[in-house]
Amino acid sequence: MKYAVGIDIGGTKTAIGLVDAGGAVLLKHSLPTDHTVSPAEMVDRIASAIRELTAKAGIDLAADVLGIGIGAPGPLNTRLGQIVEPPNMPGWWGFPVVESFRRHFPALDIAFENDATAAALAEKWQGAAKQADHFVFITISTGIGAGIYSHGRLLTGATGNAGDVGHFVIDPAAGTCVCGQRGCWEHIASGTAVARQASELLGRPVTSKEAFDLAASGTEPRITAWIDQVFRYIGIGCVTLINTLDPELLVIGGGVSQVGAPLFDAVKAYVARHALNPSGRQTPVVPAALHQDAGLIGAAALVHVAYK
């Protein structure tokens, strides 16, 4: 049995796992992404965790591991192997992540993609999009991103940043995004946006989960109206993707997708009314099948799928 190492680098934690050729996670480990140390030091810690995992599993790193897949937030440059300017990781700007891992694993192939792109490949490989040749995976959590799969392959763009859909401008009246534009999709419809606006409405700290729970209970009409607006915003972004890319399927993952039926019912209704092409109005919108381990399975898929 051959394995891949999947690494999902995030702003708060980094997940590392050993994934077999069937997409099963054999062993995994999580490290805090420590912003008090250099990225190179974090890579050293991740490399140590990889060696510990393989030793614990009784796997020979040289003989049994095909390669290492890395998913990371963008902007990045996959052509140069660099993490470029992720807003929540300023200490990593311009960091040559692939080169840094090669210091530890010079004999292994290393694949590197945007984390949402990697997750899209995971959904194609082992998730909700197995039968689709044209789909978009959308992750809605702290921010919003997407992985695009069309004509049987990932569309990654010249530098690996295709799918940065969180910065579609949806409502310019809704305030300034961290990117400097006004009314970006993730500024108004991400989990972060839900919590921010709900906190403003109630005058106290509110998590996104609490906001969705309050909306479902109907006890706070202001929150219910706000969440209905968020669902419309998500629908607008989905229609934009359908009109632009003509997918046969939309897959939605990330923390906000855990809201379940209220979100999916609202988005499907919006798509059915507003997608331009009659066939587009029938585009299935489904939840991601891979949840907690999606990031590291996606990173490992970058290796396993390449060897098929």
Side-chain angles (χ1 to χ4, degrees), residues 218-242:
T219 56
E220 283 286 353
R222 292 172 297 171
I223 300 298
T224 300
W226 164 238
I227 296 303
D228 287 344
Q229 180 62 61
V230 168
F231 291 162
R232 282 192 291 274
Y233 283 146
I234 294 173
I236 291 168
C238 288
V239 165
T240 302
L241 288 167
I242 290 167

Side-chain angles (χ1 to χ4, degrees), residues 255-282:
V256 170
S257 72
Q258 300 306 302
V259 173
L263 166 65
F264 285 91
D265 290 347
V267 171
K268 285 187 277 193
Y270 192 94
V271 166
R273 288 194 304 272
H274 296 293
L276 184 62
N277 191 319
S279 66
R281 294 172 209 149
Q282 300 172 39

Side-chain angles (χ1 to χ4, degrees), residues 141-264:
S141 53
T142 304
I144 297 179
I148 304 166
Y149 194 93
S150 187
H151 296 278
R153 59 178 294 177
L154 287 172
L155 297 185
T156 59
T159 60
N161 291 294
D164 214 346
V165 299
H167 299 281
F168 283 165
V169 172
I170 301 292
D171 183 358
T176 303
C177 179
V178 292
C179 76
Q181 294 196 105
R182 295 184 63 82
C184 288
W185 197 16
E186 74 172 40
H187 181 70
I188 58 177
S190 64
T192 304
V194 168
R196 183 187 67 244
Q197 185 63 23
S199 298
E200 290 180 11
L201 288 170
L202 296 183
R204 62 176 177 83
V206 179
T207 66
S208 58
K209 182 182 185 306
E210 183 184 357
F212 286 120
D213 289 345
L214 286 170
S217 73
T219 56
E220 283 286 353
R222 292 172 297 171
I223 300 298
T224 300
W226 164 238
I227 296 303
D228 287 344
Q229 180 62 61
V230 168
F231 291 162
R232 282 192 291 274
Y233 283 146
I234 294 173
I236 291 168
C238 288
V239 165
T240 302
L241 288 167
I242 290 167
N243 290 348
T244 303
L245 296 167
D246 192 25
E248 62 189 290
L249 177 70
L250 294 182
V251 180
I252 301 181
V256 170
S257 72
Q258 300 306 302
V259 173
L263 166 65
F264 285 91

